[in-house]
PDB file of all heavy atoms in Angstrom:
ATOM      1  N   PRO A 160     -10.187   6.035  14.213  1.00  0.00           N
ATOM      2  CA  PRO A 160     -10.135   5.338  12.926  1.00  0.00           C
ATOM      3  C   PRO A 160      -8.861   5.628  12.136  1.00  0.00           C
ATOM      4  O   PRO A 160      -8.469   4.824  11.281  1.00  0.00           O
ATOM      5  CB  PRO A 160     -11.378   5.834  12.187  1.00  0.00           C
ATOM      6  CG  PRO A 160     -11.860   7.009  12.936  1.00  0.00           C
ATOM      7  CD  PRO A 160     -11.331   6.915  14.321  1.00  0.00           C
ATOM      8  N   ALA A 161      -8.202   6.719  12.416  1.00  0.00           N
ATOM      9  CA  ALA A 161      -6.934   7.011  11.733  1.00  0.00           C
ATOM     10  C   ALA A 161      -5.889   5.953  12.050  1.00  0.00           C
ATOM     11  O   ALA A 161      -4.993   5.697  11.238  1.00  0.00           O
ATOM     12  CB  ALA A 161      -6.429   8.398  12.133  1.00  0.00           C
ATOM     13  N   GLU A 162      -5.999   5.314  13.203  1.00  0.00           N
ATOM     14  CA  GLU A 162      -5.064   4.248  13.553  1.00  0.00           C
ATOM     15  C   GLU A 162      -5.308   3.002  12.700  1.00  0.00           C
ATOM     16  O   GLU A 162      -4.356   2.319  12.306  1.00  0.00           O
ATOM     17  CB  GLU A 162      -5.166   3.919  15.040  1.00  0.00           C
ATOM     18  CG  GLU A 162      -4.660   5.056  15.919  1.00  0.00           C
ATOM     19  CD  GLU A 162      -4.746   4.735  17.392  1.00  0.00           C
ATOM     20  OE1 GLU A 162      -4.524   3.565  17.769  1.00  0.00           O
ATOM     21  OE2 GLU A 162      -5.031   5.662  18.172  1.00  0.00           O
ATOM     22  N   ALA A 163      -6.566   2.708  12.395  1.00  0.00           N
ATOM     23  CA  ALA A 163      -6.872   1.579  11.504  1.00  0.00           C
ATOM     24  C   ALA A 163      -6.308   1.864  10.112  1.00  0.00           C
ATOM     25  O   ALA A 163      -5.751   0.965   9.461  1.00  0.00           O
ATOM     26  CB  ALA A 163      -8.380   1.344  11.437  1.00  0.00           C
ATOM     27  N   LEU A 164      -6.425   3.097   9.666  1.00  0.00           N
ATOM     28  CA  LEU A 164      -5.863   3.489   8.372  1.00  0.00           C
ATOM     29  C   LEU A 164      -4.341   3.373   8.387  1.00  0.00           C
ATOM     30  O   LEU A 164      -3.749   2.838   7.454  1.00  0.00           O
ATOM     31  CB  LEU A 164      -6.279   4.922   8.033  1.00  0.00           C
ATOM     32  CG  LEU A 164      -5.739   5.503   6.742  1.00  0.00           C
ATOM     33  CD1 LEU A 164      -6.221   4.698   5.542  1.00  0.00           C
ATOM     34  CD2 LEU A 164      -6.149   6.958   6.614  1.00  0.00           C
ATOM     35  N   ALA A 165      -3.715   3.834   9.454  1.00  0.00           N
ATOM     36  CA  ALA A 165      -2.253   3.758   9.566  1.00  0.00           C
ATOM     37  C   ALA A 165      -1.774   2.305   9.593  1.00  0.00           C
ATOM     38  O   ALA A 165      -0.721   1.984   9.027  1.00  0.00           O
ATOM     39  CB  ALA A 165      -1.776   4.499  10.808  1.00  0.00           C
ATOM     40  N   ASP A 166      -2.545   1.426  10.224  1.00  0.00           N
ATOM     41  CA  ASP A 166      -2.190   0.000  10.254  1.00  0.00           C
ATOM     42  C   ASP A 166      -2.227  -0.608   8.850  1.00  0.00           C
ATOM     43  O   ASP A 166      -1.425  -1.480   8.527  1.00  0.00           O
ATOM     44  CB  ASP A 166      -3.143  -0.786  11.161  1.00  0.00           C
ATOM     45  CG  ASP A 166      -2.951  -0.482  12.642  1.00  0.00           C
ATOM     46  OD1 ASP A 166      -1.944   0.160  12.997  1.00  0.00           O
ATOM     47  OD2 ASP A 166      -3.830  -0.891  13.428  1.00  0.00           O
ATOM     48  N   GLU A 167      -3.167  -0.179   8.031  1.00  0.00           N
ATOM     49  CA  GLU A 167      -3.328  -0.736   6.688  1.00  0.00           C
ATOM     50  C   GLU A 167      -2.370  -0.105   5.682  1.00  0.00           C
ATOM     51  O   GLU A 167      -2.079  -0.705   4.642  1.00  0.00           O
ATOM     52  CB  GLU A 167      -4.775  -0.541   6.208  1.00  0.00           C
ATOM     53  CG  GLU A 167      -5.071  -1.082   4.822  1.00  0.00           C
ATOM     54  CD  GLU A 167      -4.836  -2.571   4.655  1.00  0.00           C
ATOM     55  OE1 GLU A 167      -4.835  -3.311   5.658  1.00  0.00           O
ATOM     56  OE2 GLU A 167      -4.659  -3.008   3.512  1.00  0.00           O
ATOM     57  N   ALA A 168      -1.841   1.069   5.950  1.00  0.00           N
ATOM     58  CA  ALA A 168      -1.017   1.802   4.990  1.00  0.00           C
ATOM     59  C   ALA A 168       0.147   0.991   4.420  1.00  0.00           C
ATOM     60  O   ALA A 168       0.360   1.011   3.197  1.00  0.00           O
ATOM     61  CB  ALA A 168      -0.524   3.109   5.601  1.00  0.00           C
ATOM     62  N   PRO A 169       0.927   0.256   5.229  1.00  0.00           N
ATOM     63  CA  PRO A 169       2.029  -0.515   4.643  1.00  0.00           C
ATOM     64  C   PRO A 169       1.556  -1.585   3.649  1.00  0.00           C
ATOM     65  O   PRO A 169       2.188  -1.793   2.611  1.00  0.00           O
ATOM     66  CB  PRO A 169       2.715  -1.160   5.849  1.00  0.00           C
ATOM     67  CG  PRO A 169       2.303  -0.349   7.020  1.00  0.00           C
ATOM     68  CD  PRO A 169       0.942   0.178   6.698  1.00  0.00           C
ATOM     69  N   ASN A 170       0.440  -2.251   3.956  1.00  0.00           N
ATOM     70  CA  ASN A 170      -0.107  -3.258   3.036  1.00  0.00           C
ATOM     71  C   ASN A 170      -0.579  -2.606   1.741  1.00  0.00           C
ATOM     72  O   ASN A 170      -0.310  -3.098   0.650  1.00  0.00           O
ATOM     73  CB  ASN A 170      -1.280  -4.006   3.678  1.00  0.00           C
ATOM     74  CG  ASN A 170      -0.861  -4.788   4.880  1.00  0.00           C
ATOM     75  OD1 ASN A 170       0.235  -5.321   4.941  1.00  0.00           O
ATOM     76  ND2 ASN A 170      -1.735  -4.845   5.871  1.00  0.00           N
ATOM     77  N   PHE A 171      -1.289  -1.494   1.885  1.00  0.00           N
ATOM     78  CA  PHE A 171      -1.783  -0.766   0.719  1.00  0.00           C
ATOM     79  C   PHE A 171      -0.625  -0.342  -0.176  1.00  0.00           C
ATOM     80  O   PHE A 171      -0.651  -0.546  -1.391  1.00  0.00           O
ATOM     81  CB  PHE A 171      -2.582   0.458   1.191  1.00  0.00           C
ATOM     82  CG  PHE A 171      -3.108   1.299   0.066  1.00  0.00           C
ATOM     83  CD1 PHE A 171      -4.262   0.932  -0.607  1.00  0.00           C
ATOM     84  CD2 PHE A 171      -2.459   2.456  -0.323  1.00  0.00           C
ATOM     85  CE1 PHE A 171      -4.755   1.698  -1.651  1.00  0.00           C
ATOM     86  CE2 PHE A 171      -2.939   3.230  -1.354  1.00  0.00           C
ATOM     87  CZ  PHE A 171      -4.093   2.853  -2.022  1.00  0.00           C
ATOM     88  N   GLU A 172       0.389   0.207   0.434  1.00  0.00           N
ATOM     89  CA  GLU A 172       1.554   0.666  -0.323  1.00  0.00           C
ATOM     90  C   GLU A 172       2.229  -0.502  -1.044  1.00  0.00           C
ATOM     91  O   GLU A 172       2.578  -0.401  -2.222  1.00  0.00           O
ATOM     92  CB  GLU A 172       2.543   1.348   0.615  1.00  0.00           C
ATOM     93  CG  GLU A 172       3.757   1.907  -0.087  1.00  0.00           C
ATOM     94  CD  GLU A 172       4.678   2.621   0.875  1.00  0.00           C
ATOM     95  OE1 GLU A 172       4.212   3.517   1.610  1.00  0.00           O
ATOM     96  OE2 GLU A 172       5.875   2.275   0.898  1.00  0.00           O
ATOM     97  N   LYS A 173       2.390  -1.624  -0.349  1.00  0.00           N
ATOM     98  CA  LYS A 173       3.043  -2.787  -0.952  1.00  0.00           C
ATOM     99  C   LYS A 173       2.280  -3.273  -2.177  1.00  0.00           C
ATOM    100  O   LYS A 173       2.856  -3.490  -3.248  1.00  0.00           O
ATOM    101  CB  LYS A 173       3.163  -3.920   0.066  1.00  0.00           C
ATOM    102  CG  LYS A 173       3.794  -5.189  -0.516  1.00  0.00           C
ATOM    103  CD  LYS A 173       3.496  -6.404   0.350  1.00  0.00           C
ATOM    104  CE  LYS A 173       4.044  -7.683  -0.206  1.00  0.00           C
ATOM    105  NZ  LYS A 173       3.587  -8.019  -1.549  1.00  0.00           N
ATOM    106  N   TYR A 174       0.969  -3.447  -2.043  1.00  0.00           N
ATOM    107  CA  TYR A 174       0.180  -3.976  -3.152  1.00  0.00           C
ATOM    108  C   TYR A 174       0.064  -2.972  -4.293  1.00  0.00           C
ATOM    109  O   TYR A 174       0.049  -3.357  -5.461  1.00  0.00           O
ATOM    110  CB  TYR A 174      -1.195  -4.449  -2.678  1.00  0.00           C
ATOM    111  CG  TYR A 174      -1.087  -5.669  -1.792  1.00  0.00           C
ATOM    112  CD1 TYR A 174      -1.479  -5.646  -0.472  1.00  0.00           C
ATOM    113  CD2 TYR A 174      -0.532  -6.836  -2.287  1.00  0.00           C
ATOM    114  CE1 TYR A 174      -1.347  -6.759   0.339  1.00  0.00           C
ATOM    115  CE2 TYR A 174      -0.386  -7.966  -1.489  1.00  0.00           C
ATOM    116  CZ  TYR A 174      -0.795  -7.919  -0.178  1.00  0.00           C
ATOM    117  OH  TYR A 174      -0.651  -9.023   0.616  1.00  0.00           O
ATOM    118  N   LEU A 175       0.011  -1.701  -3.958  1.00  0.00           N
ATOM    119  CA  LEU A 175      -0.040  -0.686  -5.000  1.00  0.00           C
ATOM    120  C   LEU A 175       1.282  -0.667  -5.776  1.00  0.00           C
ATOM    121  O   LEU A 175       1.284  -0.599  -7.014  1.00  0.00           O
ATOM    122  CB  LEU A 175      -0.330   0.689  -4.399  1.00  0.00           C
ATOM    123  CG  LEU A 175      -0.602   1.805  -5.384  1.00  0.00           C
ATOM    124  CD1 LEU A 175      -1.785   1.480  -6.274  1.00  0.00           C
ATOM    125  CD2 LEU A 175      -0.841   3.095  -4.631  1.00  0.00           C
ATOM    126  N   LEU A 176       2.380  -0.768  -5.072  1.00  0.00           N
ATOM    127  CA  LEU A 176       3.668  -0.801  -5.745  1.00  0.00           C
ATOM    128  C   LEU A 176       3.835  -2.067  -6.589  1.00  0.00           C
ATOM    129  O   LEU A 176       4.433  -2.036  -7.659  1.00  0.00           O
ATOM    130  CB  LEU A 176       4.805  -0.663  -4.738  1.00  0.00           C
ATOM    131  CG  LEU A 176       4.963   0.722  -4.117  1.00  0.00           C
ATOM    132  CD1 LEU A 176       6.016   0.721  -3.021  1.00  0.00           C
ATOM    133  CD2 LEU A 176       5.282   1.763  -5.173  1.00  0.00           C
ATOM    134  N   ASP A 177       3.271  -3.183  -6.127  1.00  0.00           N
ATOM    135  CA  ASP A 177       3.291  -4.412  -6.934  1.00  0.00           C
ATOM    136  C   ASP A 177       2.575  -4.206  -8.262  1.00  0.00           C
ATOM    137  O   ASP A 177       3.038  -4.642  -9.302  1.00  0.00           O
ATOM    138  CB  ASP A 177       2.644  -5.580  -6.181  1.00  0.00           C
ATOM    139  CG  ASP A 177       3.496  -6.114  -5.036  1.00  0.00           C
ATOM    140  OD1 ASP A 177       4.690  -5.738  -4.942  1.00  0.00           O
ATOM    141  OD2 ASP A 177       2.951  -6.906  -4.236  1.00  0.00           O
ATOM    142  N   VAL A 178       1.422  -3.524  -8.219  1.00  0.00           N
ATOM    143  CA  VAL A 178       0.655  -3.260  -9.430  1.00  0.00           C
ATOM    144  C   VAL A 178       1.411  -2.320 -10.355  1.00  0.00           C
ATOM    145  O   VAL A 178       1.416  -2.490 -11.575  1.00  0.00           O
ATOM    146  CB  VAL A 178      -0.739  -2.667  -9.067  1.00  0.00           C
ATOM    147  CG1 VAL A 178      -1.413  -2.071 -10.276  1.00  0.00           C
ATOM    148  CG2 VAL A 178      -1.609  -3.730  -8.422  1.00  0.00           C
ATOM    149  N   LEU A 179       2.068  -1.344  -9.775  1.00  0.00           N
ATOM    150  CA  LEU A 179       2.716  -0.307 -10.578  1.00  0.00           C
ATOM    151  C   LEU A 179       4.183  -0.608 -10.906  1.00  0.00           C
ATOM    152  O   LEU A 179       4.834   0.199 -11.569  1.00  0.00           O
ATOM    153  CB  LEU A 179       2.641   1.029  -9.838  1.00  0.00           C
ATOM    154  CG  LEU A 179       1.236   1.525  -9.536  1.00  0.00           C
ATOM    155  CD1 LEU A 179       1.280   2.788  -8.714  1.00  0.00           C
ATOM    156  CD2 LEU A 179       0.441   1.726 -10.809  1.00  0.00           C
ATOM    157  N   GLU A 180       4.652  -1.767 -10.472  1.00  0.00           N
ATOM    158  CA  GLU A 180       6.062  -2.121 -10.683  1.00  0.00           C
ATOM    159  C   GLU A 180       6.452  -1.963 -12.153  1.00  0.00           C
ATOM    160  O   GLU A 180       5.771  -2.428 -13.047  1.00  0.00           O
ATOM    161  CB  GLU A 180       6.306  -3.564 -10.247  1.00  0.00           C
ATOM    162  CG  GLU A 180       7.763  -3.954 -10.275  1.00  0.00           C
ATOM    163  CD  GLU A 180       7.983  -5.334  -9.699  1.00  0.00           C
ATOM    164  OE1 GLU A 180       7.155  -5.805  -8.893  1.00  0.00           O
ATOM    165  OE2 GLU A 180       8.984  -5.945 -10.063  1.00  0.00           O
ATOM    166  N   GLY A 181       7.521  -1.263 -12.368  1.00  0.00           N
ATOM    167  CA  GLY A 181       8.026  -1.052 -13.712  1.00  0.00           C
ATOM    168  C   GLY A 181       7.452   0.163 -14.407  1.00  0.00           C
ATOM    169  O   GLY A 181       7.923   0.551 -15.467  1.00  0.00           O
ATOM    170  N   LEU A 182       6.407   0.768 -13.831  1.00  0.00           N
ATOM    171  CA  LEU A 182       5.812   1.945 -14.456  1.00  0.00           C
ATOM    172  C   LEU A 182       6.325   3.260 -13.893  1.00  0.00           C
ATOM    173  O   LEU A 182       6.250   4.281 -14.548  1.00  0.00           O
ATOM    174  CB  LEU A 182       4.294   1.904 -14.326  1.00  0.00           C
ATOM    175  CG  LEU A 182       3.604   0.773 -15.068  1.00  0.00           C
ATOM    176  CD1 LEU A 182       2.117   0.772 -14.767  1.00  0.00           C
ATOM    177  CD2 LEU A 182       3.845   0.902 -16.563  1.00  0.00           C
ATOM    178  N   ILE A 183       6.803   3.213 -12.637  1.00  0.00           N
ATOM    179  CA  ILE A 183       7.303   4.448 -12.008  1.00  0.00           C
ATOM    180  C   ILE A 183       8.717   4.260 -11.527  1.00  0.00           C
ATOM    181  O   ILE A 183       9.230   3.202 -11.448  1.00  0.00           O
ATOM    182  CB  ILE A 183       6.392   4.923 -10.847  1.00  0.00           C
ATOM    183  CG1 ILE A 183       6.078   3.797  -9.880  1.00  0.00           C
ATOM    184  CG2 ILE A 183       5.131   5.516 -11.389  1.00  0.00           C
ATOM    185  CD1 ILE A 183       5.256   4.217  -8.689  1.00  0.00           C
TER     186      ILE A 183
END
């Protein structure tokens, strides 16, 4: 299951950074 998590990590990071854009 760690591979499924690793596959999703780039998407998670992208969307999280979109939400936080301009705050950090």
Side-chain angles (χ1 to χ4, degrees):
E162 292 181 36
L164 178 62
D166 289 348
E167 180 60 22
N170 296 325
F171 179 81
E172 182 178 307
K173 178 198 178 303
Y174 292 117
L175 188 59
L176 288 174
D177 287 348
V178 166
L179 300 176
E180 187 174 336
L182 295 175
I183 49 177

